């Protein structure tokens, strides 16, 4: 595959039936491409998607850490869905470069991102060694959690951690909570645990003053 922008018009140069060109509006695939070449292009395209997700996540983290006062404006100017951006940043922050598995997709990492670091590595090791797809990893995680719940009489899960009941909240409320977690530069689940733990201890809720004032933000 040739890099983006190789053809300003997005058209395949005449006489070259072996290259797929990426353009701003899609792929330019030559009419005479063989099945084998077309098949080989698939993994390369998926690899670009994974690289894109990691790169966006790293870009966001850099902005969060160094340009907090101007970060939100830059994110808005990027023109991507804000919730998607937050997810990229949260997952990227969970995995340092050294812990990211080139042989697994960004979505593999997303499936285990909410787990403690040691469990993340253990599950990624299993997925890598067994060649699990993202969906297979998800199924294995679900089965493991179900088994852990049963062994703990419906209360305990893997590694002695406890689960909490599902709750229903308005979308606007959930969005406000996620935004508060983003401004605190920690994962959403970690932020929720910190808030609940602080409330149980009678302490002030962590985060900026405007969060304690009702989450109105900027």
């Amino acid at each position: 595959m040739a890099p983006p922008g190789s053809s300003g018009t997005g058209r395949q140069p005449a006489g070259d039936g072996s290259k797929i060109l990426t353009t701003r509006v899609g792929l330019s695939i030559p009419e005479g491409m063989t099945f084998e070449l077309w098949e080989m292009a698939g993994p390369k395209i998926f690899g670009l998607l994974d690289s894109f997700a990691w790169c966006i996540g790293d870009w966001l983290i850099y902005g969060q850490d160094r340009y907090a006062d101007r970060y939100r404006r830059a994110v808005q100017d990027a023109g991507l869905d804000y919730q998607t951006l937050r997810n990229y940043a949260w997952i990227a922050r969970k995995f340092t470069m050294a812990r990211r598995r080139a042989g697994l997709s960004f979505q593999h990492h997303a499936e285990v991102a909410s787990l403690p670091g040691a469990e993340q590595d253990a599950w990624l090791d299993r997925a890598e060694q067994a060649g699990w797809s993202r969906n297979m990893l998800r199924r294995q995680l679900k089965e493991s959690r179900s088994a852990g719940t049963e062994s703990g009489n419906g209360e305990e899960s893997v590694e002695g951690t406890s689960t909490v009941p599902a709750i229903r909240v308005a979308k606007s409320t959930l969005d406000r909570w996620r935004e508060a977690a983003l401004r605190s530069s920690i994962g959403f689940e970690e932020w929720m645990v910190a808030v609940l733990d602080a409330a149980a201890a009678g302490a002030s809720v962590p985060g900026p003053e405007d969060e304690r004032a009702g989450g109105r933000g900027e």
Side-chain angles (χ1 to χ4, degrees):
M1 288 181 63
S6 296
S7 172
T9 63
R11 296 178 180 175
Q12 178 68 27
D16 189 348
S18 64
K19 291 183 180 180
I20 296 177
L21 297 183
T22 58
T23 76
R24 293 277 296 180
V25 294
L27 294 178
S28 176
I29 305 176
E31 291 292 335
M33 173 160 284
T34 66
F35 171 80
E36 289 74 19
L37 290 174
W38 169 84
E39 184 179 32
M40 289 170 58
K44 294 181 180 179
I45 295 170
F46 292 127
L48 288 174
L49 290 174
D50 271 342
S51 176
F52 168 82
W54 285 122
C55 291
I56 288 291
D58 291 336
W59 174 76
L60 289 166
I61 291 171
Y62 190 94
Q64 288 173 352
D65 293 346
R66 292 168 177 80
Y67 310 116
D69 56 334
R70 292 171 288 174
Y71 164 77
R72 285 176 59 82
R73 185 185 66 193
V75 169
Q76 291 169 355
D77 291 344
L80 298 175
D81 177 70
Y82 191 51
Q83 180 60 55
T84 300
L85 292 175
R86 289 189 293 186
N87 290 341
Y88 286 161
W90 183 72
I91 294 166
R93 194 179 285 277
K94 287 287 186 176
F95 298 93
T96 61
M97 192 77 71
R99 294 182 58 237
R100 299 174 187 177
R101 314 301 175 90
L104 297 176
S105 71
F106 183 82
Q107 294 304 322
H108 279 89
H109 292 76
E111 291 295 330
V112 301
S114 63
L115 299 174
E119 290 185 47
Q120 291 172 354
D121 290 334
W123 280 106
L124 291 177
D125 283 343
R126 294 170 195 164
E128 201 165 30
Q129 292 165 8
W132 290 343
S133 66
R134 186 276 304 271
N135 288 338
M136 176 59 75
L137 174 58
R138 178 180 293 179
R139 285 196 293 271
Q140 293 291 334
L141 283 164
K142 185 176 180 180
E143 290 175 7
S144 176
R145 286 164 182 157
S146 296
T149 298
E150 291 172 3
S151 66
N153 298 319
E155 296 294 333
E156 298 297 318
S157 61
V158 182
E159 298 295 328
T161 57
S162 298
T163 58
V164 296
I167 58 175
R168 292 181 178 273
V169 297
K171 184 179 183 301
S172 59
T173 300
L174 183 59
D175 288 342
R176 190 168 68 247
W177 291 354
R178 289 187 182 279
E179 188 169 345
L182 181 64
R183 287 201 292 270
S184 299
S185 296
I186 61 176
F188 181 49
E189 291 186 14
E190 293 174 280
W191 180 86
M192 289 186 66
V193 170
V195 169
L196 291 171
D197 195 46
S204 58
V205 175
E209 287 294 329
D210 57 349
E211 298 304 330
R212 295 198 288 271
R216 289 185 291 275
E218 304 164 9

